[in-house]
Amino acid sequence: MSAKIKIIPFGGVRENGKNMYAVDVNGGIYILDCGLKYPENELLGIDVVIPDWAYLRENKDRIVAVFLTHGHADAIGALPYFLSEFNVPVFGSEMTIALAKIGVAAEPSVKGYDDFHVIDEKTEIDFGDVVVSFFATTHSIPESLGIDLKTDEGQIIYTGDFKFDQTAKPGYQTDYARLGAIGQAGVLAVLSDSANAENPAMNASEQTIAEDIEETFHYQTGRVIVACVASNILRIQQVFDAAQQTGRKVCLTGQDLEKIVNTAMKLGKLSFADDLLVTPAQLDNLEPGETVILQTGKMGEPIKALQRMANKQEKDLNIQEGDLVYITTTPSHAMDTTVAQTRDMIYRAGGEVKAISDELNSSGHAYKRDLQLMLNLLKPQYLVPIQGEYRLLNAHANAALELGMPADHIFILAKGDVLTYANGQMSLGEGIDVTDTMIDGIGVGDIGNIVLRDRKVLADDGIFIAVVTIDRKKKQIVADPKITSRGFVYVKANKDLMQESAQIIRKAVQNNLDNKEFDWGHLKQDVREHLSHYLFEQTHRRPVILPVIMEVNQHHRRSTSKAKEGGKTAKPDPEKAKPKNKAKKPAKAAKPNQPANNKPHRNRKRRHSNKPAATAEKQD
């Protein structure tokens, strides 16, 4: 029976990180990785970004399982959020599952989840239509695996993050024989790592990198602050080894790093002397040349943590005169500006900066020749470059063209594209809508493009607030417009601008009051349009304009009520019953055409009072 196959990327294409791919075989959906990405500069205030699962929610009963390639955040970071909605089994190597459990345990909604399954490169799982197996790859974390989905039409291979390194130690070594065997059995399509596809130069071996770290520690006379991704177990081991060889002690920063180090140590993936680690309090008893501070930052992202250290914002450890900040991670190109700013801040604080990528190709991802070697080993009919921005995917495609692969057998996909294999042909079908889900604090998905746009406008041009009080029945403005500006112009130095703005507001409001078909929405929109046009004409800026309309009803009909006082009916005080010209504090009331807020209407009995007060209505 011919299998119908669909490949759908939910992330990881035309972007850095957030790897997540679905392979649909005869209706069963197999999820490959479930990662996040750290926000870039334009995502103001966003903590992390995860994939959008709207399509998977509609097809949740068809999800078979999640298969993880390795334990970095770009592969497992979104798993806690995913498992809060989808109760499916998760498969991964021992180290990967251990790191995944740390992330899941931190999410209250899935603390009780325990459907994890530890596999290795020899594991084979038969799901009927698909047999899932794995193969060992080399990356910066132990027990990284590629995934093999064997179908009736051929194998679909997902490489995960990989590179080839002939000097890799056990636990990090690629199984070349297994790759050759997979290629001999026939590969339909390969989803292959493209994160370093532009690089034509060979990656430095991990042995060379380890020697460079030790040399740096040896010649530095002051403290060394090592910036590293928390889950980069290989780099952490090299730092520990270099510190041991040069007589230095290592201080870990942050609970995230301590959890990962303790987990890796228990599993035998990290080894070091018992007296190597010290606490921040113990650093005072050591000479600067005897210390190494390992900084990984929150969620394993070290660059922002370095900025806080340079600005003296950390509680215990800050950059001081004579420190060397040694950046052993390789940030994405999207972070180039941020990294340059961080370097400048470190020098201002009295430190120096050295990045391992300045002298060595230290990437954990395959360069051009490695990618071509992988294709020669697997011999796929079709190639789907993944894990990288468009130019990287395109560079990978060009590398495949050099091997003679037909151009129409290479697909550079976008999120939501549906690559379909049916009747012996691979083609793009009708896509699905896939966006990003923003995580801001405890909010998941409540920040969208509109909110981000408003944040950007606020950051660029500020906010302009105009408050007006009106009497709609008398069709007049009760109180002059009050204007407040933040981040737009300095009000005291721009009195003419403010006075003219007030006149524009008065005119726009009065025109709407004189209109027989009065509408609150039209009134606010009219104020915005007139103000926006004037302010742009005067300043060439477009601030967020927020009109606040207060309504005072000076003809509120006094209700007649009887209050019993000592068995007698109390008469209202005529002085108190006089309507006031202006309400000191506007009371809340429903808008005439729309509810004041999103709360449901409540049918409450009107309370009668001896004191008829002026009513006020706020329109925002």
Side-chain angles (χ1 to χ4, degrees):
M1 178 181 175
S2 178
K4 186 173 182 180
I5 300 170
K6 296 179 181 178
I7 299 172
I8 308 172
F10 287 86
V13 289
R14 309 190 188 200
E15 63 182 351
N16 291 300
K18 195 157 63 70
N19 297 307
M20 185 175 182
Y21 313 92
V23 179
D24 185 332
V25 182
N26 293 333
I29 299 176
Y30 300 80
I31 304 295
L32 310 179
D33 279 341
C34 189
L36 57 75
K37 75 172 181 179
Y38 296 109
E40 296 168 359
N41 295 336
E42 66 269 18
L43 298 182
L44 302 171
I46 300 301
D47 294 328
V48 294
V49 185
I50 63 174
D52 168 31
W53 302 312
Y55 174 82
L56 294 177
R57 290 189 191 100
E58 298 171 1
N59 298 275
K60 62 191 309 180
D61 295 336
R62 299 200 289 120
I63 300 175
V64 177
V66 177
F67 302 90
L68 305 175
T69 58
H70 66 289
H72 285 164
D74 64 348
I76 67 171
L79 193 62
Y81 307 104
F82 182 84
L83 295 179
S84 66
E85 296 191 50
F86 306 95
N87 187 17
V88 296
V90 177
F91 295 84
S93 66
E94 184 180 35
M95 186 67 203
T96 302
I97 293 297
L99 294 176
K101 285 182 176 180
I102 293 175
V104 169
E107 183 65 26
S109 61
V110 287
K111 276 188 175 180
Y113 178 87
D114 195 27
D115 197 5
F116 291 105
H117 302 269
V118 174
I119 50 89
D120 59 26
E121 68 274 14
K122 298 179 182 178
T123 302
E124 190 173 273
I125 310 168
D126 192 343
F127 290 99
D129 288 338
V130 177
V131 177
V132 182
S133 58
F134 309 88
F135 54 92
T137 59
T138 299
H139 193 43
S140 58
I141 189 170
E143 299 180 351
S144 293
L145 298 171
I147 301 171
D148 178 3
L149 304 178
K150 187 180 297 183
T151 73
D152 294 339
E153 299 296 337
Q155 299 173 99
I156 299 172
I157 306 299
Y158 173 46
T159 66
D161 292 6
F162 81 95
K163 68 176 181 177
F164 293 127
D165 184 354
Q166 308 304 320
T167 67
K169 295 181 179 180
Y172 296 88
Q173 295 173 343
T174 299
D175 189 343
Y176 294 94
R178 171 88 169 112
L179 287 174
I182 291 173
Q184 292 297 323
V187 174
L188 175 63
V190 59
L191 285 69
S192 183
D193 179 8
S194 308
N196 196 31
E198 273 187 327
N199 190 356
M202 180 182 295
N203 288 329
S205 70
E206 292 300 334
Q207 181 177 335
T208 302
I209 293 173
E211 292 171 355
D212 186 76
I213 295 174
E214 183 176 335
E215 182 179 350
T216 300
F217 286 8
H218 180 76
Y219 287 105
Q220 175 64 18
T221 57
R223 300 192 309 178
V224 179
I225 300 171
V226 178
C228 177
V229 175
S231 56
N232 191 337
I233 304 298
L234 177 58
R235 196 69 75 240
I236 292 174
Q237 181 67 72
Q238 292 168 339
V239 169
F240 286 171
D241 292 343
Q244 187 73 40
Q245 293 296 323
T246 56
R248 291 176 179 262
K249 303 296 182 183
V250 179
C251 176
L252 305 181
T253 61
Q255 294 182 352
D256 291 341
L257 177 58
E258 291 180 6
K259 288 179 182 178
I260 291 173
V261 168
N262 289 335
T263 300
M265 187 173 60
K266 289 177 183 177
L267 297 176
K269 311 304 178 185
L270 271 178
S271 59
F272 51 89
D274 295 337
D275 62 346
L276 182 67
L277 300 182
V278 295
T279 64
Q282 293 173 317
L283 288 178
D284 295 336
N285 300 324
L286 298 172
E287 294 294 326
E290 298 175 340
T291 60
V292 172
I293 298 170
L294 189 55
Q295 176 61 272
T296 60
K298 185 179 179 182
M299 300 184 73
E301 204 285 313
I303 301 301
K304 290 183 179 179
L306 290 179
Q307 292 180 352
R308 291 194 301 272
M309 293 178 74
N311 289 329
K312 314 295 183 185
Q313 294 174 338
E314 287 291 307
K315 182 179 179 181
D316 299 316
L317 302 171
N318 291 302
I319 295 172
Q320 60 192 34
E321 197 76 30
D323 286 348
L324 173 68
V325 176
Y326 190 25
I327 302 176
T328 63
T329 184
T330 306
S332 68
H333 292 295
M335 294 286 288
D336 283 347
T337 301
T338 303
V339 172
Q341 292 171 346
T342 305
R343 285 176 177 248
D344 188 71
M345 294 163 68
I346 292 168
Y347 278 107
R348 288 175 181 269
E352 295 185 11
V353 182
K354 177 181 178 180
I356 199 169
S357 57
D358 291 343
E359 301 174 0
L360 300 171
N361 282 319
S362 58
S363 176
H365 301 269
Y367 80 112
K368 178 181 177 181
R369 298 304 178 199
D370 282 352
L371 296 175
Q372 291 176 326
L373 176 56
M374 178 65 81
L375 291 174
N376 281 328
L377 289 169
L378 295 177
K379 299 180 175 63
Q381 296 181 45
Y382 298 93
L383 168 65
V384 182
I386 56 171
Q387 295 176 231
E389 296 174 347
Y390 185 88
R391 70 181 189 282
L392 298 172
L393 307 183
N394 188 66
H396 194 170
N398 289 333
L401 291 174
E402 291 181 6
L403 299 180
M405 179 172 282
D408 59 354
H409 282 218
I410 303 170
F411 293 90
I412 299 178
L413 303 181
K415 290 179 296 185
D417 283 348
V418 178
L419 190 60
T420 303
Y421 183 80
N423 302 319
Q425 292 292 327
M426 188 81 79
S427 60
L428 276 173
E430 184 177 352
I432 61 174
D433 187 23
V434 175
T435 59
D436 289 337
T437 300
M438 315 294 180
I439 308 295
D440 189 1
I442 62 172
V444 179
D446 58 347
I447 303 296
N449 291 330
I450 294 176
V451 175
L452 288 177
R453 183 195 64 195
D454 287 345
R455 287 185 179 183
K456 189 174 189 307
V457 172
L458 287 169
D460 291 342
D461 294 326
I463 188 170
F464 192 93
I465 303 172
V467 181
V468 188
T469 305
I470 66 172
D471 185 331
R472 191 156 54 93
K473 289 193 175 181
K474 283 190 173 183
K475 295 187 175 183
Q476 66 182 23
I477 298 172
V478 175
D480 287 334
K482 292 184 178 180
I483 296 174
T484 304
S485 173
R486 292 290 183 272
F488 173 53
V489 294
Y490 184 49
V491 175
K492 292 183 179 180
N494 292 271
K495 291 183 178 180
D496 293 342
L497 181 72
M498 296 301 151
Q499 290 175 359
E500 184 63 28
S501 297
Q503 290 299 322
I504 290 172
I505 295 167
R506 288 182 65 92
K507 185 176 179 181
V509 171
Q510 192 62 55
N511 287 340
N512 278 268
L513 288 172
D514 294 338
N515 192 337
K516 291 183 179 180
E517 298 180 358
F518 179 87
D519 180 77
W520 289 104
H522 184 270
L523 168 59
K524 290 185 287 184
Q525 185 60 32
D526 212 21
V527 172
R528 286 194 191 98
E529 288 180 357
H530 284 81
L531 265 182
S532 178
H533 178 76
Y534 172 72
L535 294 176
F536 183 77
E537 187 180 69
Q538 297 297 317
T539 66
H540 287 271
R541 303 177 199 165
R542 296 189 185 277
V544 173
I545 297 174
L546 183 62
V548 179
I549 313 299
M550 309 284 290
E551 182 184 13
V552 175
N553 185 356
Q554 301 185 66
H555 298 276
H556 179 70
R557 181 175 296 176
R558 177 167 56 88
S559 59
T560 58
S561 62
K562 294 182 179 180
K564 294 183 179 180
E565 296 180 0
K568 297 181 180 180
T569 302
K571 295 181 179 180
D573 187 340
E575 291 296 321
K576 294 182 179 179
K578 291 180 180 179
K580 299 179 181 180
N581 292 330
K582 183 178 178 181
K584 292 182 180 180
K585 184 177 181 181
K588 294 181 180 178
K591 295 179 183 178
N593 297 326
Q594 60 185 46
N597 53 41
N598 294 327
K599 295 181 179 178
H601 294 290
R602 297 178 180 176
N603 186 17
R604 292 174 175 167
K605 294 181 179 179
R606 179 176 295 176
R607 295 181 179 179
H608 299 286
S609 170
N610 293 334
K611 180 181 178 181
T615 62
E617 189 163 348
K618 179 180 178 180
Q619 301 292 334
D620 56 8

